[in-house]
């Protein structure tokens, strides 16, 4: 670690925009200090933006991740009464039969 001092970053015009940062003297980087309390306040303040993200997240889960469960059917000898997880595993047998068929171009 290094010695940390308070400095203020200014915008490029030199106006009065002052953003508090902690500056690490040894490696000369700006590191913004975020505590758990500060994080909770920011989440609470931005809660409506997070609510706007919920439909997008639900869309990706419903239409992108759940259908991947059905890909397993290609590697099983699927029986409707047994379901996807109860059907026997055959591996690449269906693909070998498809590619070795004379009707496959």
């Amino acid at each position: 670690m290094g010695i940390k001092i308070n400095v203020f970053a200014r915008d490029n015009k030199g106006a009065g925009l002052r953003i508090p940062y902690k500056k690490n003297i040894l490696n000369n980087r700006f590191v913004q200090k975020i505590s758990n309390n500060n994080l909770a306040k920011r989440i609470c303040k931005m809660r409506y933006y997070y609510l706007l993200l919920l439909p997008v997240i639900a869309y990706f889960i419903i239409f992108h991740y759940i259908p991947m469960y059905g890909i397993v059917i290609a590697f099983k000898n699927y029986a409707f009464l047994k379901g996807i997880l109860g059907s026997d595993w055959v591996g690449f047998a269906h693909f070998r039969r498809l590619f070795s068929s004379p009707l496959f171009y």
Side-chain angles (χ1 to χ4, degrees), residues 8-72:
F8 293 95
R10 294 187 177 271
D11 63 352
N12 55 2
K13 296 178 183 173
L17 178 65
R18 294 167 56 97
I19 305 169
Y21 281 93
K22 298 280 186 184
K23 184 177 180 184
N24 192 337
I25 293 176
L26 290 180
N27 53 9
N28 204 10
R29 288 187 305 184
F30 286 101
V31 180
Q32 186 177 13
K33 184 179 178 185
I34 299 174
S35 66
N36 289 338
N37 191 20
N38 190 14
L39 182 64
K41 285 180 185 178
R42 288 189 321 161
I43 289 174
C44 185
K45 186 186 286 187
M46 306 293 268
R47 66 184 175 268
Y48 296 113
Y49 294 113
Y50 288 117
L51 286 174
L52 285 173
L53 281 176
L54 286 179
V56 175
I57 293 169
Y59 166 79
F60 277 100
I61 290 172
I62 292 170
F63 295 108
H64 291 272
Y65 289 109
I66 292 176
M68 290 164 83
Y69 174 71
I71 293 174
V72 176

Side-chain angles (χ1 to χ4, degrees), residues 56-97:
V56 175
I57 293 169
Y59 166 79
F60 277 100
I61 290 172
I62 292 170
F63 295 108
H64 291 272
Y65 289 109
I66 292 176
M68 290 164 83
Y69 174 71
I71 293 174
V72 176
I73 295 174
F75 301 100
K76 291 191 170 223
N77 191 10
Y78 180 70
F80 180 74
L81 295 176
K82 291 182 181 179
I84 295 175
L85 294 178
S87 299
D88 298 328
W89 184 265
V90 294
F92 287 105
H94 297 305
F95 293 100
R96 276 191 290 251
R97 190 180 72 215

